[in-house]
Amino acid sequence: MGSVGAKEVPVLLTPDGRRIDGRRLDELRALEIRAGPLKQADGSAFVEWGANKVMAAVYGPREVHPRHLQQNDRAVIQCKYNMAAFSVDERKRPGLDRRSQEISKVIGEALQSVVFTEEFPRTSIDVYIEVLQANAGTRCAGLVAASVALADAGIPMVDLLPAVAVGKVAGAIALDLKKEEDNFGEADLPMALVPQSGRLVLLQMEGHMTEEELGTALDLGVGGCRAIYEKMKAALRDRYSVAPIEEAAR
Ligand code: ADP
């Protein structure tokens, strides 16, 4: 442990390139995705990603509430991201705060860009994201869960939306930051990718990176998103796969 001012700073990167949890710079945390755990919702997904635990539920297309949000030419996507009061060590004030509103907005906009909303005019597609345990990267985990839940609800989309945060930790660009890396690192860059087109539909940045570092970070993030995409598809295949039909005996 080193120290900066009053804060104890853990060793974030060893000389042989290992991170605080033993990962390499380009390694994701363990990720498990389950499609359809909630029977009541039209679609749902549960994501365990490192120490993050996130549930998403989708309802709709259904009547729009409040009514004035209704659009005559498309569905509106109403996204609510919430972090449970017990999801973090420090006491978190329950309920809607500015951070939750911002995350709800960016996730909703990312989803809006891939859902064929014009197929369901005058309706709402309601996406609820509940973070039960948080350890950095929850907006990305929420987006992964939400897009699998939308697919589980049978809502037509251009593609699934894998997402991951890349950051700068002890001067190095690292994939998929955990809490200590997010807290004590120099930058955090969450992104979401449309895999088939290569388009980024969410890109935010906190902290500082050089132009060169940004290029490295984007490459690392896109590679991470492609690996996450495979897990998202596998979760949906697991949910809907049927036993192969035995070839009829001749
Ligand atoms: P993300 O979860 O997408 O990385 P942030 O960068 O805002 O979003 O948050 C990083 C992490 O900080 C969260 O995942 C969570 O572990 C923690 N955190 C965020 N807000 C709070 C809060 N109000 N109280 C305690 N911890 C929080």
Side-chain angles (χ1 to χ4, degrees):
M1 290 264 189
S3 75
V4 171
K7 277 188 193 167
E8 285 292 309
V9 181
V11 175
L12 294 175
L13 197 62
T14 62
D16 67 342
R18 294 282 179 178
R19 292 155 68 181
I20 192 161
D21 55 4
R23 280 182 295 155
R24 296 269 178 212
L25 291 169
D26 62 352
E27 240 179 281
L28 290 166
R29 290 175 286 183
L31 171 61
E32 276 182 41
I33 308 170
R34 205 175 130 212
L38 302 178
K39 296 294 156 253
Q40 205 160 289
D42 294 320
S44 59
F46 185 58
V47 166
E48 283 193 57
W49 189 345
N52 290 317
K53 291 185 201 288
V54 179
M55 181 73 85
V58 167
Y59 285 82
R62 64 180 180 182
E63 205 174 314
V64 186
H65 289 290
R67 204 56 192 266
H68 69 266
L69 294 178
Q70 182 173 298
Q71 298 289 324
N72 282 332
D73 56 346
R74 63 176 176 87
V76 288
I77 294 182
Q78 300 198 73
C79 178
K80 283 201 180 71
Y81 163 102
N82 181 54
M83 248 174 47
F86 55 80
S87 64
V88 286
D89 294 342
E90 311 98 273
R91 207 191 98 80
K92 180 200 169 283
R93 286 175 63 187
L96 257 190
D97 49 30
R98 284 181 62 125
R99 175 178 170 276
S100 305
Q101 284 177 23
E102 175 230 314
I103 295 178
S104 301
K105 182 170 184 290
V106 294
I107 292 180
E109 286 171 358
L111 295 172
Q112 187 91 42
S113 68
V114 288
V115 172
F116 288 106
T117 53
E118 62 282 5
E119 290 190 18
F120 309 101
R122 293 176 295 282
T123 66
S124 179
I125 297 169
D126 299 329
V127 179
Y128 300 94
I129 296 168
E130 291 291 327
V131 179
L132 305 178
Q133 192 168 283
N135 192 279
T138 61
R139 75 195 63 206
C140 297
L143 196 41
V144 166
S147 91
V148 172
L150 281 165
D152 182 46
I155 292 177
M157 286 182 282
V158 174
D159 207 344
L160 293 167
L161 268 190
V164 73
V166 179
K168 188 172 167 186
V169 173
I173 302 302
L175 182 64
D176 188 19
L177 304 190
K178 75 189 299 268
K179 184 79 174 12
E180 293 84 346
E181 296 176 320
D182 182 287
N183 283 5
F184 299 108
E186 297 99 83
D188 178 28
L189 185 86
M191 66 184 83
L193 176 79
V194 183
Q196 287 184 31
S197 64
R199 196 160 60 99
L200 291 174
V201 290
L202 182 149
L203 187 62
Q204 300 183 280
M205 181 148 104
E206 205 181 304
H208 298 281
M209 276 186 199
T210 65
E211 206 177 318
E212 198 190 334
E213 286 169 340
L214 181 62
T216 307
L218 289 172
D219 287 347
L220 200 54
V222 166
C225 282
R226 293 202 183 281
I228 293 160
Y229 184 47
E230 295 307 316
K231 298 205 169 201
M232 295 166 82
K233 288 190 290 186
L236 287 161
R237 269 198 302 271
D238 280 355
R239 166 117 162 97
Y240 291 103
S241 65
V242 284
I245 299 165
E246 297 283 328
E247 205 180 325
R250 297 193 179 191

